[in-house]
Amino acid sequence: MFKIKNLSVHIGKRTILNDVSLEAKPKEITGLIGKSGSGKSTLFRLALGLLPKSDGYEWNGEIEWKGEMLGNQHCPKIQPVFQDPFGSFSPYNIIGELLLEPLKVQKQLVLNQEMIDKENTRIGNLCHRFELPVSLLKNTKQELSGGQLQRFAILRALLMNPEYLLLDEPVTALDVLVQKKIAEELKEINQKDSLGMLIVSHDLGFLSYMCDQIFVLEEGSITEFGNPKQLLKHPQSKLLQELVFARNHSFGGVTSSSESSN
Ligand SMILES: Nc1ncnc2c1ncn2[C@@H]1O[C@H](COP(=O)(O)OP(=O)(O)OP(=O)(O)O)[C@@H](O)[C@H]1O
C-alpha cells in the first residue's frame, strides 16, 4: 500500500499541505487532481525525498510504501516520471548512455561489459514494446520528439525494476494524439506488469480514463475521493463541480482525447 497519513507541509508561516491522508492500492492507478498551486508537486517531491528541510520546508505526518517510511530519502522501489520530457535528459550524451545513468548511481559503480550487455538487451526489449526504433538510442535529446522522450523517460523508470511509479503530469507537455498513445501504454504497463501508479495531474479527462480512484486536492487539503464514475456523476467538491461543468460546456461538449477513448 502507498499511504500518506496526516501529512502537513509548511514553509515559514505558510501552510502548503494540511493534514493530507490517502491510501493507494499497490497494483492500482490512483490519481491526485488539483488546480495549479494546490500542493500537488510539493507532495510529489516529498514522496521522492526531494523536499529538504534545509530549504526551509517543515513537515510532519507519514508517507510510506509497504510499511517503509518515505520522505527523507529517495527509495529506488518508487520511480518518478516528470512532466517535462525535455528537462528529464541531459543534452550532452546520447539517450542509450543516459538510460544507464540511474543504474550506475544505484549500484554506485562503473558497469562492466557483461552488465552493460544485459541492460542493453533489456533496453532493446523495452524499445520494441514502446515501438521506439533502437536507432534512436544513438541520438541526443535534441534529435527526438517530446513523445519519444517521454516514452524513454518511462522506459528509464521501468529499467530500475520499480514496485510503484509516481508520475507528475506525464502527458501535459505533449500533443493530444501522443497523449492518448502514452495513456494507453501506461494502462498496458499497469495491467500486464501489475505495476501500480500515483498520477498527479490537473486533467480530469486523463485521470478519469487512467485511474481506479481519484483524490481531489484543494488548497492543500483532500476534499473528496472515489472512483471516477462516481465522482463524475455526483461531484461534491467545488473543484470537481467546476471541472465537470467546464467539461460539459467547453468546445460544444467535446471530451479530451484520453477520455473519449474510455
Ligand atoms: N519554497 C516555497 N516558498 C513559498 N511558497 C511555496 C514554496 N514551495 C511551494 N510554495 C507554494 O505552495 C503552493 C503549492 O505549490 P505546488 O508547486 O506544490 O503546487 P502545484 O499544485 O504543484 O501547482 P502547479 O500545478 O502549478 O505545479 C503554491 O502556492 C506555491 O506558491
Side-chain angles (χ1 to χ4, degrees):
M1 194 76 92
F2 179 84
K3 267 193 204 173
I4 296 177
K5 280 197 252 170
N6 307 111
L7 181 72
S8 295
V9 177
H10 308 274
I11 186 149
K13 287 194 176 148
R14 177 156 195 189
T15 300
I16 300 177
L17 293 172
N18 182 24
D19 201 23
V20 168
S21 295
L22 70 80
E23 289 195 6
K25 291 194 180 141
K27 294 183 179 174
E28 285 192 355
I29 304 184
T30 299
L32 181 69
I33 192 164
K35 276 188 191 164
S36 178
S38 59
K40 305 183 297 297
S41 302
T42 302
L43 196 151
F44 187 85
R45 288 172 56 209
L46 183 57
L48 292 170
L50 297 173
L51 211 63
K53 294 202 167 170
S54 56
D55 283 2
Y57 292 98
E58 298 280 335
W59 55 271
N60 48 59
E62 292 170 5
I63 304 190
E64 58 176 66
W65 169 247
K66 293 186 173 172
E68 191 178 324
M69 291 301 173
L70 307 174
N72 286 326
Q73 58 190 29
H74 175 54
C75 166
K77 294 173 195 163
I78 311 266
Q79 283 296 317
V81 176
F82 295 97
Q83 170 175 1
D84 172 17
F86 285 99
S88 299
F89 289 94
S90 158
Y92 301 116
N93 209 341
I94 57 169
I95 295 295
E97 291 288 334
L98 294 173
L99 290 175
L100 297 173
E101 288 298 324
L103 286 167
K104 289 182 191 164
V105 172
Q106 188 193 32
K107 297 193 189 303
Q108 292 186 328
L109 48 74
V110 179
L111 301 179
N112 65 34
Q113 196 53 48
E114 192 188 339
M115 289 161 129
I116 292 173
D117 291 346
K118 192 173 144 217
E119 292 310 322
N120 280 337
T121 305
R122 292 180 66 214
I123 290 172
N125 291 340
L126 285 166
C127 282
H128 181 68
R129 179 170 174 182
F130 290 126
E131 295 172 24
L132 286 162
V134 284
S135 57
L136 295 181
L137 295 168
K138 294 199 168 66
N139 291 359
T140 59
K141 72 168 183 181
Q142 298 89 317
E143 297 164 311
L144 300 181
S145 71
Q148 288 167 335
L149 275 176
Q150 193 59 311
R151 282 204 201 98
F152 275 121
I154 296 166
L155 189 157
R156 179 174 57 184
L158 295 181
L159 274 180
M160 301 294 286
N161 295 315
E163 292 181 3
Y164 199 65
L165 291 183
L166 289 186
L167 302 109
D168 189 6
E169 302 277 10
V171 298
T172 305
L174 308 170
D175 76 55
V176 277
L177 292 177
V178 181
Q179 280 185 2
K180 184 169 181 286
K181 182 98 180 82
I182 291 193
E184 285 164 357
E185 284 167 356
L186 286 171
K187 268 218 135 162
E188 194 188 294
I189 292 167
N190 169 251
Q191 282 159 8
K192 282 203 179 150
D193 303 354
S194 299
L195 185 61
M197 308 173 188
L198 178 74
I199 307 180
V200 169
S201 177
H202 66 271
D203 185 336
L204 181 61
F206 170 61
L207 286 184
S208 54
Y209 170 69
M210 293 296 298
C211 297
D212 298 291
Q213 65 169 346
I214 298 175
F215 287 79
V216 180
L217 186 68
E218 287 182 285
E219 293 172 15
S221 299
I222 300 286
T223 50
E224 184 175 10
F225 67 94
N227 71 55
K229 252 191 190 157
Q230 162 206 336
L231 290 182
L232 290 177
K233 214 168 174 188
H234 302 292
Q236 303 294 316
S237 60
K238 189 166 165 273
L239 174 68
L240 220 51
Q241 285 173 356
E242 279 173 13
L243 288 174
V244 171
F245 181 85
R247 187 188 67 134
N248 293 338
H249 292 81
S250 63
F251 306 114
V254 174
T255 54
S256 79
S257 63
S258 48
E259 196 175 4
S260 60
S261 59
N262 197 356

